[in-house]
Amino acid sequence: MTWIEKGEPAVMWLSGLHIPESYLTALVQATCRKNGWPLDKSTLYTTVTLHTKSDDVREKLHSGCYVEGLYLEGASWDVPNACLRKSKPKVLVEELPILKIIPIEAHRLKLQNTFKTPVYTTSERRNAMGVGLVFEADLSTTDHSSHWVLQGVALTLNAD
């Protein structure tokens, strides 16, 4: 399937992009242009879906995108309750269900019970140039965010 023939895919694989930050920046810019929002007052909002495979997603989002191939370190994802939970014994990394990323005006974003989870390119949390933070994902939680910071919870684009 090519973008030229069928357009952008319904679910994006960020790990397949050389510079995934540029795709997310373009996503925000296109949405701001379409809606007439100021670019400097816009941000990304994320939510984890119930979809575990890209084939489960039937259509593209009108604003934003679905992302697959993210791996959760330091915690596990409770699918029925849609929130972070303690890691299972001897499981260091698990795949996150498909993430929905939506550009939004920053003043409209009111988050509660979420942990701003850093998303890195690799488990080393940096690349060869010393840079690795791609963006921050909003993951639901019932615990205080300091708990997840002390656990070292992060998302990575590669399972290594």
Side-chain angles (χ1 to χ4, degrees):
M1 172 161 62
T2 63
W3 286 29
I4 295 171
E5 296 168 355
K6 298 185 180 183
E8 189 176 336
V11 180
M12 179 58 67
W13 179 51
L14 278 185
S15 302
L17 301 176
H18 182 64
I19 306 173
E21 301 93 319
S22 62
Y23 175 78
L24 297 173
T25 302
L27 190 70
V28 173
Q29 288 176 340
T31 303
C32 288
R33 195 173 302 122
K34 183 172 76 173
N35 296 325
W37 298 343
L39 182 61
D40 62 337
K41 296 187 177 168
S42 299
T43 188
L44 292 172
Y45 166 71
T46 64
T47 182
V48 179
T49 67
L50 296 175
H51 306 299
T52 55
K53 298 178 186 154
S54 59
D55 295 337
D56 297 342
V57 178
R58 297 287 173 220
E59 58 186 48
K60 292 189 293 188
L61 290 172
H62 296 291
S63 176
C65 69
Y66 291 107
V67 173
E68 69 176 335
L70 295 175
Y71 297 90
L72 184 59
E73 291 184 5
S76 65
W77 187 253
D78 185 354
V79 175
N81 296 319
C83 66
L84 288 171
R85 67 172 180 211
K86 288 178 81 173
S87 295
K88 297 171 188 147
K90 299 182 184 179
V91 178
L92 300 177
V93 177
E94 75 171 42
E95 190 167 2
L96 190 73
I98 292 177
L99 188 72
K100 186 191 314 187
I101 301 177
I102 304 166
I104 188 171
E105 288 180 292
H107 74 276
R108 293 183 188 210
L109 187 61
K110 306 285 187 247
L111 295 175
Q112 291 183 343
N113 300 325
T114 57
F115 173 55
K116 280 247 182 242
T117 311
V119 180
Y120 297 105
T121 51
T122 66
S123 62
E124 293 179 3
R125 301 186 180 198
R126 63 178 177 80
N127 59 17
M129 297 183 302
V131 181
L133 183 68
V134 179
F135 71 103
E136 290 182 323
D138 309 307
L139 298 184
S140 297
T141 180
T142 55
D143 295 320
H144 193 270
S145 60
S146 64
H147 171 77
W148 302 115
V149 170
L150 292 172
Q151 293 294 316
V153 173
L155 290 166
T156 59
L157 298 180
N158 298 301
D160 296 341

